[in-house]
Amino acid sequence: MPEQRGERERTAGARDRTSGTRGGRWRTAAWLTLAVGTAGLVGGVVAGEGLLIAAGLVLAGVAGHLFTPEFRDSGNRHPGNGRPG
């Protein structure tokens, strides 16, 4: 019976926690943000636009924050959840 219940949960679209994709979306968002920030920074340097350079630096900083282990920990994504930090 437990095998059947597990099979039903998987077919119903339940998330499989053993698949190894934990944090995959955050990692993808971090790399995408870093790529856009780097492109903006390089584009701003080439074009001589200070605002584009600043935007690229800000996005690179956001990407750096997304790469930190503290951010990937699910307990720290919602500061009002009542758990100690």
Side-chain angles (χ1 to χ4, degrees):
M1 278 312 238
E3 297 85 10
Q4 291 176 350
R5 188 180 78 215
E7 185 66 30
R8 264 186 274 146
E9 287 175 357
R10 268 181 261 150
T11 58
R15 195 179 226 175
D16 185 11
R17 295 193 185 269
T18 62
S19 65
T21 60
R22 183 177 179 215
R25 289 186 194 171
W26 294 109
R27 219 173 296 127
T28 303
W31 280 110
L32 184 62
T33 307
L34 183 62
V36 170
T38 302
L41 179 62
V42 170
V45 168
V46 169
E49 290 290 326
L51 187 59
L52 195 53
I53 294 171
L57 287 172
V58 167
L59 284 175
V62 169
H65 177 69
L66 290 175
F67 278 117
T68 59
E70 292 85 15
F71 184 77
R72 287 188 308 232
D73 182 23
S74 62
N76 290 333
R77 273 193 216 130
H78 307 287
N81 63 3
R83 286 201 223 157

